[in-house]
Structures are given as structure tokens and as C-alpha cells.
Amino acid sequence: MQITVNEKKETAKLGDLYGIFFEDINHAADGGLYAELVRNRSFEFCEIDNKEYHALTAWERVLPADAKGTITIQTGHAVCCKNPHYLVLDAMDPLDGIGVRNEGYNQGIPLEAGEKYLFSCHISCDGRPLQMEVSLESVDGKLYQAQRFSIENKDWEKIEAVFDAPVTDYGARLGIWLKTPGRVYIDNVSLFPEKTFMGRKNGVRRDIARLLADMHPKFMRFPGGCLIHDGSLNPEDRDSMYRWKNTIGPVMERPSRRNNWGYNQSLGLGYYEFFQFCEDIGAKALPVLPAGYDPHHRRAASFEQLGEWVQDALDLIEFANGAPSTTWGSLRAEMGHEAPFGLEYIGIGNEEVGEEFFERYPYFHKAIKAKYPEVKIINTAGPAAAGEAYRMGWENAREYGSNFIDEHYYQAPEWFISNHHHYDGYGKEHTRVFLGEYASKDNAWYNALAEASYMIGLERNADSVGLACYAPMLCNADYVNWRPNMIWYDNHRVYATANYYVQKLFMNHQGDTGLEVRLNTRMAAQPFPVTRGNKIYLAPNMRRMDSIMECTEIEIETKDGVTRCKDVLLKAEESPVLLGEAQGSYTIRFRMKRMSGWLGLALWFDCADEANKRKIEYGGWENQSCTLEEDLNGRNSNLDLGNFCVRTGFVHSVEVRVEPQRIVNIIDGKIMNDALLPEEIIEPLYCTASREESSGDIIVKAVNLREDSFEAVIALTDARIRSARVYHMDGFGPDDRNSFEDPEKVAPKENMAVVEDGEIVYTFPAQSINIFRLKV
């Protein structure tokens, strides 16, 4: 194989292509990147956040048997009305003390011997002089260190202390004790490691932040994700949509809120901290705002109310970019950042499904462009790589001239391989793609390898794809909402996945300008092994165990004729019903009626077993969609998504046309899904090249997905290679993955490549990623 880079033929500017995405999922903020060690520091947890929560979640009451006193949560005398709850310790005879202990996250509060920890809280009392004690302890009560405070002020005051941890204990507790008779009120309890990333107060964990900083991302998208638009329209509600103005100002004045992933969100890590963190790691901020529409619950702000939401977007830009003399720029300056942050991008909406969003988007677009024409606006194309929401998003973006459109998809690694040329036909439009969320559904080496081959295609199509970021980024191993994730951690350890190292390699060696690459080889593409079969089933929708579906007039038409099947009554708790078998080109027809329940049913076809099949789900995702999907070795891909609702008592007519390269699903005479299937092959090599302006290096990226190695020559058209360094990942098993116990089992290596006569002769290992930096 001959790989020739034409160093004089530029293709596209790579710009801000590779970045990262933060969403508070999997405890990515509290208990994650945010360095606060106290869980439920303001006693604001409640059943709205999680049905298991209450105001003393994560706090242990300690009231000795012979002590006389009470430990309660009260309201009416709060430090801040936005967080109305506080702790009351009331002692008539405390003996050695009554109080509470905080258990932190994971196994407890992590202490490192010799490190300093900054304690603070707000406190007041009933006017009697009192003695308080704050302690660091083991889980079984062994005292490590304690500090005493004299309290006599009826008004709230802030007390602070510095602890020097005498031991290393990753399961410690923070204790707060009333030692004398009286009543004391406590709120906003905080314990931070002194050493945060960049030494920021109210800062972030150094170990997680260092991994992110080492990637050198061009941008960071935040704060979500579904997080931004799932919730009430009222910003004062605990379960409101994510409203950025609630996340700035003094931390104790930020209202505790429900996180839509099933836990509490303190908002200690808010918009100011996001902007600051982006600046600290050299990434451009890319905030995403809701558009007054919640697709999860189909609630939308009226057009008369929409001005408030549009103004929020304009005010955010002023907060980021306005002079200190402006209203919101002055608040930024008061918080400690007088200079503007230099915001370039803003996203409106996330994975939006439904006309309601696209009717509201123009109000944002026109207002932002009128006041801030330099800011690039990002529209949304729904939650799948194809389908009705995807088409609606693109039509809307083209009509209003969105700078970018946010595409999301989580697919099997085989999808990423077979769809390597997904963006080849996009063309040079005004609206470019922001691939805002993607991943291949696991953290094994094979997944990372497949993602790398796909990223070659992103880079090759940088004129169409302007931004891309893997998602989700962070996961606390004890609070998992979603898999896979790029970085895993607990309260004191962190490890990067194979996917992380792929992203880091591509970011560290992105380059600035694409260069033409030609491959000359006699090697042929290899077909994927076929794991699908030919069986056809009707299956109950197992995600909501309450639907009863009646299916009649079922038939399978093949080239050999029509096979008619018996009527089927599907109950959610029962097994799928086999209809027959077919392969190649065929058509399935049936009529379905929901007798009761909420969702619908699934049609399985091209089925070998439950882990290897294609399927159509009728009435999926809150009974708002019809999805065409594929499972390969248990890994799922969404091939097309249409908007559809199953109606109880209504007879829907279904026809599914299956061909080797196309699947069409028709409901009640309307085409609901229409998917073109690419050829399932592994190409000889996936390769791209670029030039880095600062160093003058030519960077060649090459991914070998084959199970065999081969030799290739790398050459330039008009120049000679003087030296070359190669960064490579190879020699791993497909299922190899990193862990806390073996955090670098799958990680890059670095060597000098052999250069002879101005060219590189290199053996590409089987299933490998190889990035060359060429000096010419």
C-alpha cells in the first residue's frame, strides 16, 4: 500500500473540530467534577429530586441514649429564601454532644494525609453562648481532628476553619456537634480540598480536570443534554428547566433543584464556573439553552411568554461578552472576571422532537442575529441520525440560516464502521454539522477503534462537519445513569477509558488544515460477518409492562407468494410470537389495535436471536415515536426515527418493505421510516492528513480495522520526510478495557518511525490507530 499526502493540496480548515461535552448525568457535577465533599450541604434534598430523598439524606443523626435534645430540619429562618431548609440542634443535656455526620459521596469523604481541607458553614443560635465542634472522623467514629467554635449570635454568620488531615481515609465523615445546652441553626455546610484545579475557590477536582485539560479540547458544550429542557416552564419551580440565571451569584443563593437524571443538583457548579473552567483549559465555551419547550412532557411556553426565554439568551451573551458597564457584564465582573469571556457559540435546544420547538426557534435566531451577529447559532436535529425530527431540524436550519445543527446518535461500533462515509454527501452548505453527542455504546478497545475510524471521516469532511464531541463525558462509578462514559471515577480515584485516549490523540494532533491523501492498494474491502437471521416476530414492548395489543390480517409476502398468519393478542409480560421466516426482499403487513396500556409493540425481523435482529418499535419513547433499530451482538443502533403515537382502540394499518439495502415502514398509508443501509464492509485503511501551522508538522492519521497487519509506504508529493514520530494504539484484545485496578491497560504508545530516503515504511498492526507527526 502506498499512502501519498499532497502537502500542497489543501482540503478544508479543521477549526474547532474536536471538543468535549459536559452534562450533569452520572453525578458529573456534585460528586464528580465539582470539588465539594459534603453531600446535601444545604439540607435541601427532597422527594421531588428522588422518591428516596429527604432533607437529611447523606446525614446521620447522632443522639446518645442518655442525652436530651432533638435534631430537626426547619424553615422560616433561612439564610436565603431560595434554600429555605436548615438544620436545628436543640440540646437540654447534650452530654458529650449531639449532632450529625455527613457521609459524602461513594464510600465517604476522602482525606489524604498532609492535605488541607477548607470548612465553612452559616450558623446562628438562640442567644445563649454555645460551644460547637466540627470534626473529621472515621466511619466508626474514631476522631481524626476537631475544632471548637463559640457561638452566641442570633443572626446568621459564616464560620470557617482549615483542617490538616492526619491520615489517609477515603471513607471519612464530617461531624458537627453541639456541646453545650442551647439551640443552634446550621446551613450551607461545606468542605473543599484546598487544592482544586488552578486553585479556584468553589473549584473543581484536580484529577478529573487534569485529564480534561490534557486533551486540549477546542470547546466545551454545557450544561446538557436532556438536562436543559426537561422540566417545568416556571424558573422558580424545583423541577424547572435548567435556567442559567439560577446558577450564578453567591453559591448559597442558587436554588437547589431536581436533576432530571434522578438526583439533586446544587448548582454550585454553575454558568460562571463553566465559563471559568473553559478558560482554564483553553476551550471555547458552548452553552446550550432551552427554547421554552419540554419535549419529554409536551409543554411549551406560549408565544406571548416566549420573550422571557429569548431575553434569557440575549442576557447570557451579555453576561459572557458584555462590558462591565452593562447589566449582566457588571455581574460577571462582580463575580471576579472583569474581562469578557469571548463567547462565540450558543446552542438553542437539544434533541428536539415536535413542531413546537421549530415554531419557537426562529424567535431566538432572529433576536440573537440582530443584536449579536458575530455569535454562531446552533440548531438541533433530534435524537437520531435519520428520521422525521432529523429532517425537520435540517429544514428549519436551512430556512433560517443556522450556523450549525446539532446531531446526536449512540450506535453500535458496526454502525460507525459501515457509515464511515455518512458525511461524504452533505455538501458545502451554510449550515454545518455539530456532532454534539456520539458514542459506540461501550468502553472496550473495539468501540474506541470503531470511533477512531469514524473520526477519520469527520476530519475528511471538515467542510461539512465543524464541531464534534463524544458523550457522555463523566461518570461516578457508584451513581450510573448511562453507559458508556469517557472518564470514570469514585471519590478519590479516576481512570480514562480507551475512548478517552482516542479522543485525546485526535485532539492533541488535530492539525489546522486538511490535506489531500491518496491510497494506492490492491487490498480489497472485507465484508462484516453476518449475525442476523431470517425469523420474524411480533413482540410486546417490554419497557412498559402494561400494553395489550391485538394484531390481525398478518401476512408475509416473498417472491414465493404470501403466507398468512394467525391473529395475535400480545400481552406485555408474554414472550414474542414467531410469525415465520423470510430473507432478501419481502413485505410484512398487519393491522394493530391497542386494547389498553401506554406504549405499543415491536416487530422483529431479520432475526437470528434477541441479540441479533432488526426491529421497529411502534409507540416508543413516551409513545411519541416509531423507531427502526438494529441489534448486533446485543449492541443497538437507531437507523431511523419517526414521530408516531399509538392510539387506544384505533386500528393502525402497517406495511414494512424489506430490501437488502433499504427498509421502508408505512403506517396508515404514510411513510414513517425510510432507511438506506450502507454496505457493511471494512475498508483496507482509514486515513486522513492535515498541517499544523504552529509547528509546521504534517499529521497523518491512519486506522486499521482489519485483523491482519500489513506494510505500507507513507510519502509526500513534493517534499521529503526528515523525521517522524508515531503515536499508536495496538496489541489489545477487542474486549480489553481500562479499570480502577488497571487504568492504562488500553493506552497510547509513542515511538520514532523509521524514515528512509524521505519516506516511511511502516507495518500497520492489526486493529490499530496510528498518528504520525512528520517533519519535512
Side-chain angles (χ1 to χ4, degrees), residues 64-65 171 270 418 439 483 489 543 653 703 730 736:
S418 61
R483 298 173 186 269
Y489 51 86
R543 286 177 293 178
S653 176
V703 177
D730 52 67
D736 284 353

Side-chain angles (χ1 to χ4, degrees), residues 242-315:
Y242 193 101
R243 307 296 287 271
W244 76 268
K245 290 176 182 175
N246 285 337
T247 78
I248 58 174
V251 171
M252 68 180 183
E253 296 179 8
R254 303 177 190 180
S256 188
R257 73 182 293 272
R258 172 198 70 107
N259 179 295
N260 72 316
W261 293 106
Y263 54 91
N264 177 272
Q265 196 170 14
S266 73
L267 300 180
L269 184 61
Y271 258 74
Y272 178 79
E273 290 79 17
F274 280 128
F275 278 119
Q276 191 174 61
F277 181 65
C278 288
E279 188 173 75
D280 286 345
I281 66 173
K284 296 179 181 180
L286 197 161
V288 182
L289 297 181
Y293 172 57
D294 173 4
H296 299 264
H297 301 93
R298 301 302 292 266
R299 48 193 170 196
S302 68
F303 291 105
E304 291 74 21
Q305 299 170 322
L306 203 57
E308 168 199 340
W309 299 79
V310 174
Q311 191 61 49
D312 270 0
L314 297 176
D315 292 345

Side-chain angles (χ1 to χ4, degrees), residues 528-597:
F528 281 173
V530 176
T531 58
R532 293 182 299 272
N534 56 10
K535 295 179 181 178
I536 302 170
Y537 293 86
L538 281 173
N541 195 320
M542 303 301 289
R543 286 177 293 178
R544 194 69 70 88
M545 301 287 285
D546 63 355
S547 295
I548 298 178
M549 302 288 297
E550 181 183 65
C551 298
T552 59
E553 301 179 35
I554 307 167
E555 60 182 36
I556 303 169
E557 182 179 354
T558 68
K559 60 181 178 61
D560 297 322
V562 176
T563 300
R564 291 178 174 83
C565 308
K566 294 180 180 180
D567 294 348
V568 173
L569 186 66
L570 282 175
K571 296 181 180 180
E573 68 275 12
E574 295 179 350
S575 300
V577 177
L578 177 65
L579 301 181
E581 298 184 4
Q583 58 184 346
S585 297
Y586 56 94
T587 301
I588 306 164
R589 300 183 187 92
F590 61 94
R591 293 165 70 83
M592 66 180 181
K593 180 171 71 172
R594 187 171 67 198
M595 312 299 289
S596 65

Side-chain angles (χ1 to χ4, degrees), residues 119 195 220 327 364 399 520 616 648 697 771:
F119 168 82
K195 293 180 180 178
M220 185 173 90
T327 300
F364 293 83
E399 180 177 358
N520 186 5
I616 300 174
T648 298
D697 289 354
I771 298 180

Side-chain angles (χ1 to χ4, degrees), residues 31 36-39 58 102-111 137-139 169-174 191 205 476 478-479 490-492:
E36 173 66 78
L37 300 176
V38 175
R39 189 176 181 214
N102 190 264
E103 65 185 30
Y105 296 90
N106 303 92
Q107 69 192 71
I109 291 174
L111 302 178
E137 311 174 1
S138 69
V139 68
D169 181 356
Y170 301 123
R173 300 292 188 264
L174 173 72
L191 186 70
R205 268 179 65 165
N476 187 316
D478 291 332
Y479 306 93
D490 58 19
N491 67 351
H492 66 286

Side-chain angles (χ1 to χ4, degrees), residues 221 225-226 229 261 293 295-296 349-354 357-358 379-394 405-411 415-416 422-423 434-439 441 482 620-622 624-629 636-643:
R221 175 181 175 238
C226 291
H229 67 186
W261 293 106
Y293 172 57
H296 299 264
N350 169 79
E351 293 186 4
E352 305 295 342
V353 176
F357 170 81
F358 297 110
N379 204 324
T380 172
E388 190 168 354
Y390 176 86
R391 291 188 292 271
M392 289 175 69
W394 266 101
I405 187 161
D406 189 5
E407 296 187 359
H408 294 182
Y409 39 84
Y410 297 93
Q411 311 282 45
W415 185 95
F416 284 97
H422 183 72
Y423 291 109
F434 170 29
L435 183 49
E437 296 183 32
Y438 73 99
K441 295 198 171 181
W482 184 276
W621 195 73
E622 304 296 332
Q624 295 186 40
S625 69
C626 181
T627 60
L628 170 59
E629 302 178 10
N636 177 266
S637 296
N638 188 317
L639 306 181
D640 192 273
L641 186 149
N643 296 341

Side-chain angles (χ1 to χ4, degrees), residues 412-415 446 528-537 576 578 582 586 603-616 629-637 639 680:
E414 292 83 1
W415 185 95
Y446 183 67
F528 281 173
V530 176
T531 58
R532 293 182 299 272
N534 56 10
K535 295 179 181 178
I536 302 170
Y537 293 86
L578 177 65
Y586 56 94
L603 173 69
W604 296 0
F605 57 102
D606 290 351
C607 179
D609 50 45
E610 190 166 352
N612 294 278
K613 64 183 182 297
R614 287 172 174 150
K615 65 180 178 180
I616 300 174
E629 302 178 10
E630 180 176 65
D631 294 323
L632 293 174
N633 299 314
R635 297 184 289 237
N636 177 266
S637 296
L639 306 181
E680 296 173 312

Side-chain angles (χ1 to χ4, degrees), residues 52 148 305 448 461:
E52 304 295 328
R148 287 265 180 139
Q305 299 170 322
N461 288 287

